[in-house]
Amino acid sequence: MKFWGVYNRNLRQLDLFKVFSFLMVMINLFLVITVIGINKNTKTIIVPPYITSEFENVGDNFSFSYYEQIGTHLSNGLLTVSPQNIDKTFDSIQGYFSSDPDEVKAIKEYLIKEADRVKKDSIYQAFYPLKVLPNHKNNSFTVEGLLKTMTGSVMVEERKAQITFYYKVTNKKLVIKKFEVNK
């Protein structure tokens, strides 16, 4: 008789274990669904090296001030250069560019060619961004401004310049695929 009493008690414990296990599976499933649902609409704030105004992105949509700040930062990095700082300046903006080999090749070619030109001719450039024009249909934005070019202490020219950045959104981060500089 003692055997059947222990056996029945073990069966009850096993049934209780099954109920608790089922509840734990259901709770974990609920938590996974909740986290995935919340993750889709997460507001992500990405900080450039300096902040001039608040900006945000929700999903793949960025606020205008984000384009303004990131466009100003990238255009200054590409066009405000001197023979002494060009390599460090280009290195500081590398993280914003795509890592796709075809896209990297075109970007690197431009950066190397521009660095060689600036060093060879001892060119000092200063870019003053005036406005940023986002184009959401083409996944691009254009930065327009004034470019002053000097060699030594002599002003060579002052003209309008614009840079068009083509981007894609990867993991809620804006990644530059290519850019066009119109000087």
Side-chain angles (χ1 to χ4, degrees):
M1 261 328 191
K2 188 171 187 175
F3 171 76
W4 291 110
V6 171
Y7 179 74
N8 286 336
R9 188 180 70 201
N10 287 341
L11 283 179
R12 278 183 276 154
Q13 288 176 352
L14 182 61
D15 289 341
L16 189 61
F17 177 74
K18 288 178 187 178
V19 169
F20 281 126
S21 296
F22 178 74
L23 284 174
M24 292 302 290
V25 167
M26 294 306 289
I27 290 170
N28 285 335
L29 182 63
F30 171 75
L31 290 174
V32 166
I33 291 170
T34 303
V35 166
I36 290 172
I38 290 172
N39 217 7
K40 287 183 182 177
N41 296 323
T42 301
K43 181 187 291 187
T44 305
I45 298 176
I46 303 167
V47 181
Y50 51 89
I51 299 173
T52 57
S53 66
E54 181 180 314
F55 58 89
E56 62 185 34
N57 77 323
V58 178
D60 291 344
N61 300 321
F62 296 91
S63 64
F64 177 74
S65 63
Y66 179 76
Y67 290 109
E68 246 179 357
Q69 291 183 52
I70 204 72
T72 300
H73 175 63
L74 290 175
S75 61
N76 276 330
L78 289 170
L79 295 178
T80 302
V81 293
S82 70
Q84 292 81 17
N85 76 353
I86 192 162
D87 294 324
K88 289 181 183 177
T89 303
F90 285 171
D91 287 344
S92 73
I93 59 175
Q94 288 289 325
Y96 295 97
F97 297 129
S98 172
S99 57
D100 182 8
D102 295 331
E103 295 165 354
V104 168
K105 182 179 178 188
I107 292 171
K108 290 279 189 185
E109 284 175 1
Y110 172 82
L111 296 178
I112 290 170
K113 185 175 84 171
E114 189 68 13
D116 290 343
R117 182 183 72 86
V118 167
K119 288 176 184 176
K120 179 181 150 228
D121 297 337
S122 187
I123 294 174
Y124 295 82
Q125 285 184 169
F127 182 70
Y128 302 97
L130 300 174
K131 65 180 173 179
V132 177
L133 305 166
N135 184 348
H136 302 295
K137 291 180 183 176
N138 294 335
N139 282 347
S140 67
F141 58 95
T142 302
V143 180
E144 295 180 355
L146 187 63
L147 180 66
K148 292 184 179 185
T149 306
M150 297 167 275
T151 180
S153 61
V154 177
M155 172 80 78
V156 175
E157 67 181 328
E158 183 177 316
R159 63 178 180 253
K160 289 183 178 179
Q162 80 180 153
I163 305 175
T164 303
F165 295 98
Y166 297 92
Y167 66 88
K168 61 184 174 186
V169 178
T170 307
N171 295 328
K172 299 181 184 181
K173 180 183 176 192
L174 188 105
V175 177
I176 305 299
K177 297 189 308 186
K178 66 178 182 171
F179 58 89
E180 297 172 356
V181 179
N182 299 321
K183 299 183 202 180

